[in-house]
Amino acid sequence: MLELDHLSKSYGTVTALDGLSFDVRPGEIFGFVGSNGAGKTTAMRIMLGVLAADSGSVRWQGKGLDLHTRRTVGYMPEERGLYPKMKVGEQLRYLAGLHGMDPSSAARAVDHWTDLLGVGARREDTVDKLSLGNQQRVQLAAALVHDPVLLVLDEPFSGLDPVAVDVMSGVLRERAAAGVPVVFSSHQLDLVERLCDRVGIVQSGRMQAVGTIDELRRTEHPAWSLSVDDQAAVVAALTAAGIPARVEGGTVRADTADDQAALGIALGVGPVHEFRRIRPSLTDLFRDVVSADEPPAAAPPRRTRRGLLGRRRSA
């Protein structure tokens, strides 16, 4: 298991990390999301020893990450770390050697991963001749070629077309199924929601919420969607009964914990064609966390979900 324990890091007067803590378990895909400048890349660089934390620690299997352990980690930086004038196959074999692989094992691994990621035919091309999407595939191959025990990926889906996203998603699921912990950052929240076992939302260097999507969706303020013929009449009837209601997204939204009362009132007006609970998306949760962390002058106040923010960690 990977553990980040109260990491803090400042650059002069700017605080990049403020007591950040989370863990990534074996076989788990962990989504690390936050606004630009929230501290995601800084945390990942500290994991790999590229940066030193001012305080706090990073542990792998209960021990600090020394040089030997870091050689077993697969890291994909947001900025492409490839040599543009070097051939793809030659470069990947070289990088595999830096991780301790012998030449024959490295060659087999390079062939396997480039074929799997759809760039096998480009092994003799230099990196600068590849499209940005294919460069991203090669960058992932570089992170995987030495059969890492841990994957740390910074914006791995950036610039990829839908087919490449599916390929990369499949690779991450396969690695997780083999017991490898995977942590990646992304601004593509719909993809994070589909792919990840747990998600951590970081803002201003602090972990504001962490858990499964279902855990983060839990709220003390449930809402329901009703598909009805006479929306205005249903809204009026619900409001008269003390249930806040409005038309939203083509249906009637009722904010109440008493779902049967809301349904009964709507049925008293006319037929109800669909009745379902409204579950916030990860994008909705993210907006709530970010807006709650902004000063009042920066954004108008908005209702937050205490089920999410009630578990905020100053970590």
Side-chain angles (χ1 to χ4, degrees), residues 111-123 130 133-134 137-138 141 163-164 167 171:
D111 289 351
H112 169 74
W113 286 113
T114 53
D115 286 343
L116 186 64
L117 293 168
V119 287
R122 311 301 298 271
R123 285 193 287 264
L130 304 181
N134 279 338
R137 294 183 194 218
V138 174
V163 173
V167 170
V171 169

Side-chain angles (χ1 to χ4, degrees), residues 7 9 17 42-49 51-53 58 70:
L7 291 185
K9 178 70 177 179
L17 297 179
T42 296
M44 289 184 167
R45 288 176 175 172
I46 291 173
M47 290 181 213
L48 274 295
L51 292 175
V58 178
R70 288 191 176 101

Side-chain angles (χ1 to χ4, degrees), residues 62-78:
K63 300 179 181 178
L65 271 74
D66 56 18
L67 179 60
H68 173 75
T69 302
R70 288 191 176 101
R71 291 179 71 183
T72 68
V73 177
Y75 176 50
M76 184 175 177
E78 182 178 9

Side-chain angles (χ1 to χ4, degrees), residues 7-20 32 35-46 51-54 202-207:
L7 291 185
S8 293
K9 178 70 177 179
S10 296
Y11 301 98
T13 59
V14 177
T15 300
L17 297 179
D18 185 10
L20 182 75
F32 195 33
S35 305
N36 291 328
K40 304 184 300 297
T41 295
T42 296
M44 289 184 167
R45 288 176 175 172
I46 291 173
L51 292 175
D54 297 336
V202 62
Q203 179 70 2
S204 301
R206 300 185 299 273
M207 188 62 79

Side-chain angles (χ1 to χ4, degrees), residues 219 221 223 246 253 255 288 291 301-306:
T219 173
H221 305 286
R246 64 184 183 274
R253 174 187 173 120
D255 292 278
D288 276 351
S291 66
R302 59 187 289 170
R303 185 179 64 82
T304 58
R305 298 176 176 85
R306 290 180 58 194

Side-chain angles (χ1 to χ4, degrees), residues 4 36 52 84 97 151 180 204 209 217 242 245 271:
L4 279 68
N36 291 328
L151 276 174
V180 175
S204 301
R217 280 174 166 171

